[in-house]
Amino acid sequence: MSAPPPTSRLAFRRVLRFALLVASSVAGALIAVAIGDALYSTTLPELRPWHTERLRGEFEASQAGGTYDFTAYRAQEARLFEEARALARTAYDPAKDTPMSRYRPDRGPYAARVDGDWNRSFVLDGDPKRGVALVVHGLSDAPYAMRAIALALNREGLVVYGLRLPGHGTIPSGLDDAQWEDWLAAVSIVVRQIRRDHPAAPFWYVGYSTGATLGLKHAAQSVAAGRTDLLPTRLFMLSPALGVSPFAPLANVQRLVSRWGLAPKARWANVGLEIDPHKYESFAKNAGAQIAALIRSLHADLDRMDRDGSIGRLPPVTGFQSIADATVVTRDLATHFYGLLRGGTSELVLFDVNRRAGVAPLLAVSPGATVDAFLRAPRRDYRLTLLGNPDGAATLTERSWAPGSDTPVDRPLALAWPDDVYSLSHVALPFPPDDPIYGLERGAGADGLPSLGALAFRGERDVLAIGAADQLRLRANPFFDEMMRRMLAEIAAARGAPSR
């Protein structure tokens, strides 16, 4: 066999050199990012045992299958919480930890405001004939995030299952190891349990943020597998995590350094006081990498379903989303999800920013551009509803476009923006304004502490351990009752009966 001509060998060598140059440049850039992460991490506060220790009893996707069900999941969860409490009993140090810490032996003052342990999975009994609901919280949260929604559904007679996603509700290091496949496996376990226990009952899924993404991923997998029995009657999605920063996949680059035991703080985006009893104040970078991977996987599913037409077999969706959202990219939802829906049976409810005269000149965002992204999408086969005060009025107006229509219909609402609120936020939607922990009233409980949703301390900057941005971010939804009214109306319509 003759040797390749010199020109071919020369071309091959050039391509090889170019490929090696690109690979070395990428590797060098990743190493530089990892080293930069390590250097920046030295500015973070001291890590505590709930950042560095690992709980051995957490659920993993490999355990699913066979006879393992939601009952087994909750039994394992109970053992996990004993492990977490044992760590808190030995690790809490009054000299290093704030007296408000959730890891105090008595779980801290804020946890005492609500009866029961809402960090765990739960089941609220009801009448299966009226329906069954599964509620799933978001990233770094706990089932408490869905407490108000769960109680409202239960008051309507529904059986309500609440799921704690693996890695949540215990110690922040749980999210340093968690994989999105663990979360999805847990969702599948409880859905199968619901269908075994209540095969004929109407079934609704309510997901917040990552919980919404997981519900949609589960539905896509069920459609692909032909398991229509596992699909909910309707999906309710609050602040769905369907579009995040393009840099999120790089969150785990730090492991190039931290995996060898160097710069352990580099595994953390931030290290907080952990005074919130139901949400981690510290955020493991792995959590950001996992939600990015979950979204990429879901987008691949949706693109495939759009091409083969099976997206029409997804259940109807009712989405609730704030135009102002610092966690997900609201505008991306127009093309990455809602613009793919078919059938005209879904709805997206957008909460506009407050356009009152004293607020509008100070806005740094263009809410109109976000609404236009939905209106001008190539396909809008769903109802689009905007709740806001477009003319700067004190009260709100419902402006609604029927599927495919460019002509809106307005309806006045007996709602108004609170005087000191300029928008909703990603984290606000699932909480009512009178929530005992995140409510809008500054007030104080028996512990004498203000609501975590109404912290408004004044003084010099960089003095408080709680940053100004965290104090200003809205933690509860002044329009929660309106959101629940719409949700319950959809449920009642699906049952063919008025809500109670």
Side-chain angles (χ1 to χ4, degrees):
M1 185 175 183
S2 61
T7 53
S8 298
R9 291 197 300 270
L10 181 61
F12 174 75
R13 288 171 183 165
R14 287 176 176 172
V15 171
L16 180 60
R17 282 198 300 269
F18 179 75
L20 291 174
L21 177 63
V22 170
S24 61
S25 298
V26 170
L30 292 178
I31 292 172
V33 171
I35 293 174
D37 261 1
L39 293 175
Y40 171 76
S41 72
T42 60
T43 65
L44 295 176
E46 175 187 354
L47 296 180
R48 302 291 294 126
W50 27 89
H51 302 109
T52 58
E53 297 296 323
R54 297 292 185 269
L55 300 181
R56 298 184 300 274
E58 185 59 275
F59 169 82
E60 296 179 356
S62 60
Q63 296 174 257
T67 60
Y68 195 97
D69 59 10
F70 192 46
T71 301
Y73 185 91
R74 294 181 70 192
Q76 180 175 345
E77 185 179 76
R79 296 189 295 271
L80 176 74
F81 273 80
E82 284 301 318
E83 190 181 351
R85 295 308 304 159
L87 174 65
R89 285 194 295 270
T90 59
Y92 175 75
D93 184 347
K96 296 181 178 180
D97 301 308
T98 172
M100 295 189 291
S101 173
R102 67 185 287 180
Y103 297 113
R104 271 176 35 173
D106 62 358
R107 299 195 300 147
Y110 284 107
R113 291 186 173 186
V114 182
D115 292 336
D117 187 351
W118 289 88
N119 282 319
R120 307 188 188 206
S121 302
F122 60 85
V123 179
L124 303 179
D125 291 333
D127 180 3
K129 294 180 181 179
R130 295 189 66 82
V132 182
L134 169 59
V135 298
V136 183
H137 62 82
L139 191 61
S140 81
D141 293 318
Y144 182 87
M146 307 303 287
R147 171 182 173 270
I149 293 174
L151 293 176
L153 295 173
N154 189 239
R155 285 194 293 270
E156 288 291 308
L158 276 68
V159 181
V160 183
Y161 288 70
L163 172 65
R164 181 198 65 90
L165 296 173
H168 294 77
T170 54
I171 60 177
S173 67
L175 289 182
D176 190 34
D177 289 329
Q179 303 292 307
W180 69 263
E181 292 88 352
D182 301 332
W183 307 334
L184 184 62
V187 169
S188 296
I189 284 170
V190 66
V191 170
R192 291 173 185 273
Q193 181 87 41
I194 288 171
R195 277 319 189 194
R196 282 196 298 269
D197 293 348
H198 312 290
F203 167 45
W204 290 276
Y205 183 103
V206 187
Y208 161 57
S209 192
T210 297
T213 314
L214 290 166
L216 191 54
K217 176 68 177 178
H218 170 80
Q221 286 193 336
S222 298
V223 168
R227 292 297 306 272
T228 56
D229 58 310
L230 299 178
L231 293 174
T233 305
R234 179 174 285 266
L235 277 164
F236 294 99
M237 306 201 312
L238 285 64
S239 302
L242 298 177
V244 296
S245 166
F247 298 105
L250 297 177
N252 271 342
V253 169
Q254 45 76 25
R255 291 183 185 257
L256 293 172
V257 174
S258 63
R259 67 181 298 179
W260 306 108
L262 304 173
K265 291 182 185 179
R267 304 173 82 95
W268 297 89
N270 64 280
V271 176
L273 281 178
E274 303 303 334
I275 65 174
D276 191 321
H278 302 297
K279 184 178 181 67
Y280 299 145
E281 302 279 1
S282 307
F283 191 79
K285 290 178 181 176
N286 176 63
Q290 294 307 314
I291 184 58
L294 170 61
I295 292 171
R296 287 198 305 273
S297 176
L298 175 59
H299 284 172
D301 288 343
L302 295 174
D303 289 344
R304 170 185 51 78
M305 296 174 75
D306 185 44
R307 290 192 302 270
D308 65 23
S310 62
I311 199 162
R313 297 203 291 272
L314 284 175
V317 174
T318 297
F320 298 95
Q321 174 69 42
S322 172
I323 282 181
D325 191 317
T327 301
V328 303
V329 184
T330 301
R331 205 177 304 184
D332 285 356
L333 301 178
T335 53
H336 288 168
F337 177 61
Y338 288 102
L340 304 178
L341 293 176
R342 302 180 186 178
T345 56
S346 295
E347 181 178 15
L348 170 61
V349 179
L350 286 173
F351 294 95
D352 200 359
V353 298
N354 185 355
R355 305 198 193 197
R356 290 169 74 172
V359 176
L362 301 175
L363 294 176
V365 299
S366 175
T370 300
V371 177
D372 287 346
F374 289 94
L375 290 175
R376 296 175 181 174
R379 183 171 68 207
R380 184 168 47 79
D381 198 8
Y382 61 92
R383 176 173 293 277
L384 177 65
T385 298
L386 180 69
L387 303 186
N389 55 343
D391 300 322
T395 56
L396 268 64
T397 296
E398 174 195 87
R399 177 162 292 177
S400 189
W401 293 263
S405 173
D406 294 325
T407 305
V409 176
D410 287 357
R411 181 172 69 92
L413 300 175
L415 300 171
W417 282 100
D419 290 338
D420 57 349
V421 174
Y422 55 85
S423 78
L424 297 191
S425 72
H426 181 84
V427 299
L429 264 64
F431 301 104
D434 61 351
D435 186 88
I437 296 176
Y438 308 118
L440 300 181
E441 294 297 325
R442 179 171 172 80
D447 47 43
L449 297 171
S451 162
L452 289 177
L455 296 176
F457 299 112
R458 295 176 182 270
E460 185 55 276
R461 63 184 180 186
D462 300 329
V463 174
L464 287 181
I466 302 174
D470 291 329
Q471 292 187 53
L472 289 173
R473 197 177 194 190
L474 192 70
R475 299 291 296 272
N477 182 359
F479 311 123
F480 178 86
D481 288 345
E482 174 66 13
M483 183 182 73
M484 286 307 309
R485 183 193 67 77
R486 292 168 180 268
M487 194 181 300
L488 294 174
E490 292 282 7
I491 290 174
R495 288 194 310 235
S499 59
R500 293 198 299 198

PDB file of all heavy atoms in Angstrom, residues 9 28 36 43 57 84 108-109 111 128 146-147 178 185 196 205 228 231 240 260 276 304 401 439 455 461 466 477 496:
ATOM      1  N   ARG A   9      -0.120  14.473   4.099  1.00  0.00           N
ATOM      2  CA  ARG A   9       0.481  14.372   5.430  1.00  0.00           C
ATOM      3  C   ARG A   9       0.626  15.755   6.065  1.00  0.00           C
ATOM      4  O   ARG A   9       0.384  15.942   7.262  1.00  0.00           O
ATOM      5  CB  ARG A   9       1.849  13.691   5.334  1.00  0.00           C
ATOM      6  CG  ARG A   9       1.778  12.209   4.978  1.00  0.00           C
ATOM      7  CD  ARG A   9       3.082  11.494   5.309  1.00  0.00           C
ATOM      8  NE  ARG A   9       4.215  12.060   4.573  1.00  0.00           N
ATOM      9  CZ  ARG A   9       4.611  11.659   3.387  1.00  0.00           C
ATOM     10  NH1 ARG A   9       3.950  10.674   2.771  1.00  0.00           N
ATOM     11  NH2 ARG A   9       5.654  12.209   2.778  1.00  0.00           N
ATOM     12  N   GLY A  28      -6.503  25.068  29.346  1.00  0.00           N
ATOM     13  CA  GLY A  28      -5.884  26.158  30.086  1.00  0.00           C
ATOM     14  C   GLY A  28      -6.906  27.135  30.642  1.00  0.00           C
ATOM     15  O   GLY A  28      -6.779  27.612  31.774  1.00  0.00           O
ATOM     16  N   GLY A  36      -9.005  30.645  39.593  1.00  0.00           N
ATOM     17  CA  GLY A  36      -9.664  31.888  39.982  1.00  0.00           C
ATOM     18  C   GLY A  36     -10.747  31.643  41.014  1.00  0.00           C
ATOM     19  O   GLY A  36     -10.895  32.403  41.986  1.00  0.00           O
ATOM     20  N   THR A  43     -12.268  34.393  50.202  1.00  0.00           N
ATOM     21  CA  THR A  43     -12.991  35.516  50.802  1.00  0.00           C
ATOM     22  C   THR A  43     -14.292  35.075  51.460  1.00  0.00           C
ATOM     23  O   THR A  43     -14.936  35.879  52.143  1.00  0.00           O
ATOM     24  CB  THR A  43     -13.310  36.585  49.736  1.00  0.00           C
ATOM     25  OG1 THR A  43     -14.223  36.045  48.767  1.00  0.00           O
ATOM     26  CG2 THR A  43     -12.039  37.032  49.027  1.00  0.00           C
ATOM     27  N   GLY A  57     -27.317   8.558  54.465  1.00  0.00           N
ATOM     28  CA  GLY A  57     -28.587   7.888  54.204  1.00  0.00           C
ATOM     29  C   GLY A  57     -29.459   8.500  53.132  1.00  0.00           C
ATOM     30  O   GLY A  57     -30.633   8.125  53.020  1.00  0.00           O
ATOM     31  N   ALA A  84     -29.101  13.842  60.380  1.00  0.00           N
ATOM     32  CA  ALA A  84     -28.867  15.280  60.320  1.00  0.00           C
ATOM     33  C   ALA A  84     -28.987  15.925  61.698  1.00  0.00           C
ATOM     34  O   ALA A  84     -28.192  16.802  62.065  1.00  0.00           O
ATOM     35  CB  ALA A  84     -29.850  15.923  59.348  1.00  0.00           C
ATOM     36  N   GLY A 108     -33.957  26.414  65.956  1.00  0.00           N
ATOM     37  CA  GLY A 108     -33.958  27.845  65.724  1.00  0.00           C
ATOM     38  C   GLY A 108     -35.334  28.470  65.858  1.00  0.00           C
ATOM     39  O   GLY A 108     -36.362  27.790  65.802  1.00  0.00           O
ATOM     40  N   PRO A 109     -35.372  29.798  66.027  1.00  0.00           N
ATOM     41  CA  PRO A 109     -36.647  30.474  66.311  1.00  0.00           C
ATOM     42  C   PRO A 109     -37.632  30.474  65.155  1.00  0.00           C
ATOM     43  O   PRO A 109     -38.841  30.405  65.373  1.00  0.00           O
ATOM     44  CB  PRO A 109     -36.214  31.900  66.676  1.00  0.00           C
ATOM     45  CG  PRO A 109     -34.892  32.080  65.992  1.00  0.00           C
ATOM     46  CD  PRO A 109     -34.232  30.741  66.037  1.00  0.00           C
ATOM     47  N   ALA A 111     -38.180  28.230  62.767  1.00  0.00           N
ATOM     48  CA  ALA A 111     -38.849  26.931  62.589  1.00  0.00           C
ATOM     49  C   ALA A 111     -39.992  26.761  63.575  1.00  0.00           C
ATOM     50  O   ALA A 111     -40.997  26.108  63.273  1.00  0.00           O
ATOM     51  CB  ALA A 111     -37.846  25.794  62.746  1.00  0.00           C
ATOM     52  N   PRO A 128     -60.120  11.229  47.500  1.00  0.00           N
ATOM     53  CA  PRO A 128     -59.549  10.946  46.176  1.00  0.00           C
ATOM     54  C   PRO A 128     -60.520  11.223  45.035  1.00  0.00           C
ATOM     55  O   PRO A 128     -60.075  11.516  43.915  1.00  0.00           O
ATOM     56  CB  PRO A 128     -59.186   9.452  46.255  1.00  0.00           C
ATOM     57  CG  PRO A 128     -59.092   9.149  47.712  1.00  0.00           C
ATOM     58  CD  PRO A 128     -60.079  10.052  48.392  1.00  0.00           C
ATOM     59  N   MET A 146     -43.989  24.749  49.367  1.00  0.00           N
ATOM     60  CA  MET A 146     -45.279  24.409  48.782  1.00  0.00           C
ATOM     61  C   MET A 146     -46.370  24.269  49.840  1.00  0.00           C
ATOM     62  O   MET A 146     -47.485  23.848  49.534  1.00  0.00           O
ATOM     63  CB  MET A 146     -45.159  23.105  47.988  1.00  0.00           C
ATOM     64  CG  MET A 146     -44.038  23.107  46.968  1.00  0.00           C
ATOM     65  SD  MET A 146     -44.173  24.449  45.768  1.00  0.00           S
ATOM     66  CE  MET A 146     -45.540  23.869  44.771  1.00  0.00           C
ATOM     67  N   ARG A 147     -46.055  24.635  51.068  1.00  0.00           N
ATOM     68  CA  ARG A 147     -46.997  24.441  52.184  1.00  0.00           C
ATOM     69  C   ARG A 147     -48.313  25.164  51.955  1.00  0.00           C
ATOM     70  O   ARG A 147     -49.401  24.564  52.073  1.00  0.00           O
ATOM     71  CB  ARG A 147     -46.354  24.920  53.483  1.00  0.00           C
ATOM     72  CG  ARG A 147     -47.303  24.987  54.693  1.00  0.00           C
ATOM     73  CD  ARG A 147     -46.572  25.514  55.918  1.00  0.00           C
ATOM     74  NE  ARG A 147     -47.479  25.749  57.030  1.00  0.00           N
ATOM     75  CZ  ARG A 147     -48.106  26.890  57.268  1.00  0.00           C
ATOM     76  NH1 ARG A 147     -47.930  27.931  56.443  1.00  0.00           N
ATOM     77  NH2 ARG A 147     -48.913  27.018  58.307  1.00  0.00           N
ATOM     78  N   ALA A 178     -25.575  15.852  45.101  1.00  0.00           N
ATOM     79  CA  ALA A 178     -26.817  15.422  44.442  1.00  0.00           C
ATOM     80  C   ALA A 178     -26.683  15.452  42.924  1.00  0.00           C
ATOM     81  O   ALA A 178     -25.926  16.243  42.358  1.00  0.00           O
ATOM     82  CB  ALA A 178     -27.978  16.313  44.888  1.00  0.00           C
ATOM     83  N   ALA A 185     -35.850  10.617  39.752  1.00  0.00           N
ATOM     84  CA  ALA A 185     -36.246   9.288  40.231  1.00  0.00           C
ATOM     85  C   ALA A 185     -37.217   9.409  41.404  1.00  0.00           C
ATOM     86  O   ALA A 185     -38.182   8.636  41.513  1.00  0.00           O
ATOM     87  CB  ALA A 185     -35.014   8.482  40.642  1.00  0.00           C
ATOM     88  N   ARG A 196     -50.827   3.976  41.850  1.00  0.00           N
ATOM     89  CA  ARG A 196     -51.186   2.677  42.440  1.00  0.00           C
ATOM     90  C   ARG A 196     -52.292   2.843  43.481  1.00  0.00           C
ATOM     91  O   ARG A 196     -53.219   2.038  43.551  1.00  0.00           O
ATOM     92  CB  ARG A 196     -49.956   2.028  43.097  1.00  0.00           C
ATOM     93  CG  ARG A 196     -48.992   1.371  42.124  1.00  0.00           C
ATOM     94  CD  ARG A 196     -48.032   0.446  42.845  1.00  0.00           C
ATOM     95  NE  ARG A 196     -47.190   1.161  43.801  1.00  0.00           N
ATOM     96  CZ  ARG A 196     -46.000   1.668  43.499  1.00  0.00           C
ATOM     97  NH1 ARG A 196     -45.514   1.570  42.269  1.00  0.00           N
ATOM     98  NH2 ARG A 196     -45.286   2.301  44.418  1.00  0.00           N
ATOM     99  N   TYR A 205     -50.287  18.046  39.003  1.00  0.00           N
ATOM    100  CA  TYR A 205     -48.903  18.240  39.425  1.00  0.00           C
ATOM    101  C   TYR A 205     -48.663  19.735  39.547  1.00  0.00           C
ATOM    102  O   TYR A 205     -48.943  20.500  38.614  1.00  0.00           O
ATOM    103  CB  TYR A 205     -47.945  17.640  38.391  1.00  0.00           C
ATOM    104  CG  TYR A 205     -46.472  17.719  38.765  1.00  0.00           C
ATOM    105  CD1 TYR A 205     -45.801  16.603  39.242  1.00  0.00           C
ATOM    106  CD2 TYR A 205     -45.762  18.907  38.633  1.00  0.00           C
ATOM    107  CE1 TYR A 205     -44.451  16.667  39.573  1.00  0.00           C
ATOM    108  CE2 TYR A 205     -44.422  18.987  38.974  1.00  0.00           C
ATOM    109  CZ  TYR A 205     -43.774  17.861  39.444  1.00  0.00           C
ATOM    110  OH  TYR A 205     -42.434  17.941  39.778  1.00  0.00           O
ATOM    111  N   THR A 228     -49.248   6.939  29.448  1.00  0.00           N
ATOM    112  CA  THR A 228     -50.172   8.053  29.638  1.00  0.00           C
ATOM    113  C   THR A 228     -50.863   7.994  30.997  1.00  0.00           C
ATOM    114  O   THR A 228     -51.374   9.013  31.468  1.00  0.00           O
ATOM    115  CB  THR A 228     -51.231   8.073  28.527  1.00  0.00           C
ATOM    116  OG1 THR A 228     -51.912   6.811  28.501  1.00  0.00           O
ATOM    117  CG2 THR A 228     -50.579   8.309  27.169  1.00  0.00           C
ATOM    118  N   LEU A 231     -49.397  10.477  33.439  1.00  0.00           N
ATOM    119  CA  LEU A 231     -49.472  11.902  33.145  1.00  0.00           C
ATOM    120  C   LEU A 231     -50.527  12.577  34.016  1.00  0.00           C
ATOM    121  O   LEU A 231     -51.617  12.029  34.227  1.00  0.00           O
ATOM    122  CB  LEU A 231     -49.821  12.124  31.675  1.00  0.00           C
ATOM    123  CG  LEU A 231     -48.778  11.708  30.646  1.00  0.00           C
ATOM    124  CD1 LEU A 231     -49.331  11.867  29.240  1.00  0.00           C
ATOM    125  CD2 LEU A 231     -47.512  12.538  30.817  1.00  0.00           C
ATOM    126  N   PRO A 240     -40.998  28.398  36.443  1.00  0.00           N
ATOM    127  CA  PRO A 240     -40.293  27.195  35.991  1.00  0.00           C
ATOM    128  C   PRO A 240     -38.856  27.495  35.579  1.00  0.00           C
ATOM    129  O   PRO A 240     -38.584  28.490  34.909  1.00  0.00           O
ATOM    130  CB  PRO A 240     -41.131  26.729  34.792  1.00  0.00           C
ATOM    131  CG  PRO A 240     -41.823  27.956  34.301  1.00  0.00           C
ATOM    132  CD  PRO A 240     -42.115  28.760  35.535  1.00  0.00           C
ATOM    133  N   TRP A 260      -9.291  17.424  44.967  1.00  0.00           N
ATOM    134  CA  TRP A 260      -8.069  16.928  45.605  1.00  0.00           C
ATOM    135  C   TRP A 260      -7.937  17.435  47.031  1.00  0.00           C
ATOM    136  O   TRP A 260      -6.864  17.310  47.630  1.00  0.00           O
ATOM    137  CB  TRP A 260      -6.856  17.364  44.779  1.00  0.00           C
ATOM    138  CG  TRP A 260      -6.954  16.956  43.339  1.00  0.00           C
ATOM    139  CD1 TRP A 260      -7.173  17.766  42.266  1.00  0.00           C
ATOM    140  CD2 TRP A 260      -6.874  15.628  42.822  1.00  0.00           C
ATOM    141  NE1 TRP A 260      -7.232  17.040  41.112  1.00  0.00           N
ATOM    142  CE2 TRP A 260      -7.048  15.713  41.412  1.00  0.00           C
ATOM    143  CE3 TRP A 260      -6.661  14.367  43.387  1.00  0.00           C
ATOM    144  CZ2 TRP A 260      -7.033  14.607  40.580  1.00  0.00           C
ATOM    145  CZ3 TRP A 260      -6.638  13.256  42.563  1.00  0.00           C
ATOM    146  CH2 TRP A 260      -6.814  13.382  41.183  1.00  0.00           C
ATOM    147  N   ASP A 276     -32.416  30.597  57.846  1.00  0.00           N
ATOM    148  CA  ASP A 276     -33.688  30.209  57.228  1.00  0.00           C
ATOM    149  C   ASP A 276     -33.930  28.729  57.516  1.00  0.00           C
ATOM    150  O   ASP A 276     -33.109  27.885  57.167  1.00  0.00           O
ATOM    151  CB  ASP A 276     -33.616  30.451  55.724  1.00  0.00           C
ATOM    152  CG  ASP A 276     -34.968  30.318  55.042  1.00  0.00           C
ATOM    153  OD1 ASP A 276     -35.741  29.412  55.424  1.00  0.00           O
ATOM    154  OD2 ASP A 276     -35.241  31.092  54.109  1.00  0.00           O
ATOM    155  N   ARG A 304     -37.157  17.100  20.345  1.00  0.00           N
ATOM    156  CA  ARG A 304     -37.524  15.836  19.685  1.00  0.00           C
ATOM    157  C   ARG A 304     -39.041  15.706  19.580  1.00  0.00           C
ATOM    158  O   ARG A 304     -39.575  15.328  18.525  1.00  0.00           O
ATOM    159  CB  ARG A 304     -36.947  14.649  20.479  1.00  0.00           C
ATOM    160  CG  ARG A 304     -37.460  13.282  20.019  1.00  0.00           C
ATOM    161  CD  ARG A 304     -36.958  12.182  20.913  1.00  0.00           C
ATOM    162  NE  ARG A 304     -37.184  12.439  22.328  1.00  0.00           N
ATOM    163  CZ  ARG A 304     -38.350  12.277  22.940  1.00  0.00           C
ATOM    164  NH1 ARG A 304     -39.426  11.882  22.240  1.00  0.00           N
ATOM    165  NH2 ARG A 304     -38.476  12.501  24.235  1.00  0.00           N
ATOM    166  N   TRP A 401     -54.707  37.484  25.801  1.00  0.00           N
ATOM    167  CA  TRP A 401     -54.733  37.183  24.380  1.00  0.00           C
ATOM    168  C   TRP A 401     -55.114  35.715  24.188  1.00  0.00           C
ATOM    169  O   TRP A 401     -54.452  34.821  24.735  1.00  0.00           O
ATOM    170  CB  TRP A 401     -53.369  37.404  23.737  1.00  0.00           C
ATOM    171  CG  TRP A 401     -52.901  38.822  23.676  1.00  0.00           C
ATOM    172  CD1 TRP A 401     -53.001  39.674  22.623  1.00  0.00           C
ATOM    173  CD2 TRP A 401     -52.224  39.559  24.717  1.00  0.00           C
ATOM    174  NE1 TRP A 401     -52.440  40.894  22.915  1.00  0.00           N
ATOM    175  CE2 TRP A 401     -51.946  40.852  24.200  1.00  0.00           C
ATOM    176  CE3 TRP A 401     -51.825  39.254  26.022  1.00  0.00           C
ATOM    177  CZ2 TRP A 401     -51.296  41.822  24.946  1.00  0.00           C
ATOM    178  CZ3 TRP A 401     -51.185  40.211  26.776  1.00  0.00           C
ATOM    179  CH2 TRP A 401     -50.925  41.485  26.242  1.00  0.00           C
ATOM    180  N   GLY A 439     -43.501  36.312  55.140  1.00  0.00           N
ATOM    181  CA  GLY A 439     -44.572  37.259  54.872  1.00  0.00           C
ATOM    182  C   GLY A 439     -44.099  38.692  54.696  1.00  0.00           C
ATOM    183  O   GLY A 439     -42.975  39.055  55.059  1.00  0.00           O
ATOM    184  N   LEU A 455     -37.326  41.957  56.155  1.00  0.00           N
ATOM    185  CA  LEU A 455     -36.147  42.553  56.777  1.00  0.00           C
ATOM    186  C   LEU A 455     -35.881  43.898  56.111  1.00  0.00           C
ATOM    187  O   LEU A 455     -35.822  43.994  54.885  1.00  0.00           O
ATOM    188  CB  LEU A 455     -34.936  41.639  56.598  1.00  0.00           C
ATOM    189  CG  LEU A 455     -35.016  40.261  57.279  1.00  0.00           C
ATOM    190  CD1 LEU A 455     -33.780  39.447  56.925  1.00  0.00           C
ATOM    191  CD2 LEU A 455     -35.149  40.407  58.781  1.00  0.00           C
ATOM    192  N   ARG A 461     -23.267  50.201  54.874  1.00  0.00           N
ATOM    193  CA  ARG A 461     -23.126  48.982  54.092  1.00  0.00           C
ATOM    194  C   ARG A 461     -21.983  48.129  54.636  1.00  0.00           C
ATOM    195  O   ARG A 461     -21.075  48.618  55.312  1.00  0.00           O
ATOM    196  CB  ARG A 461     -22.875  49.327  52.632  1.00  0.00           C
ATOM    197  CG  ARG A 461     -21.597  50.071  52.379  1.00  0.00           C
ATOM    198  CD  ARG A 461     -21.489  50.464  50.917  1.00  0.00           C
ATOM    199  NE  ARG A 461     -20.240  51.196  50.654  1.00  0.00           N
ATOM    200  CZ  ARG A 461     -19.945  51.747  49.489  1.00  0.00           C
ATOM    201  NH1 ARG A 461     -20.812  51.657  48.493  1.00  0.00           N
ATOM    202  NH2 ARG A 461     -18.804  52.379  49.326  1.00  0.00           N
ATOM    203  N   ILE A 466     -26.232  39.852  56.518  1.00  0.00           N
ATOM    204  CA  ILE A 466     -27.252  39.658  55.490  1.00  0.00           C
ATOM    205  C   ILE A 466     -27.174  40.828  54.530  1.00  0.00           C
ATOM    206  O   ILE A 466     -27.352  41.982  54.924  1.00  0.00           O
ATOM    207  CB  ILE A 466     -28.656  39.576  56.114  1.00  0.00           C
ATOM    208  CG1 ILE A 466     -28.725  38.437  57.118  1.00  0.00           C
ATOM    209  CG2 ILE A 466     -29.714  39.387  55.044  1.00  0.00           C
ATOM    210  CD1 ILE A 466     -30.016  38.382  57.886  1.00  0.00           C
ATOM    211  N   ASN A 477     -45.824  36.647  47.796  1.00  0.00           N
ATOM    212  CA  ASN A 477     -46.594  37.065  46.624  1.00  0.00           C
ATOM    213  C   ASN A 477     -47.857  37.813  47.054  1.00  0.00           C
ATOM    214  O   ASN A 477     -48.799  37.201  47.568  1.00  0.00           O
ATOM    215  CB  ASN A 477     -46.958  35.824  45.811  1.00  0.00           C
ATOM    216  CG  ASN A 477     -47.715  36.131  44.536  1.00  0.00           C
ATOM    217  OD1 ASN A 477     -48.007  37.283  44.239  1.00  0.00           O
ATOM    218  ND2 ASN A 477     -48.048  35.097  43.790  1.00  0.00           N
ATOM    219  N   GLY A 496     -65.425  19.184  36.228  1.00  0.00           N
ATOM    220  CA  GLY A 496     -66.786  19.464  35.811  1.00  0.00           C
ATOM    221  C   GLY A 496     -67.664  19.904  36.944  1.00  0.00           C
ATOM    222  O   GLY A 496     -68.879  19.713  36.924  1.00  0.00           O
TER     223      GLY A 496
END
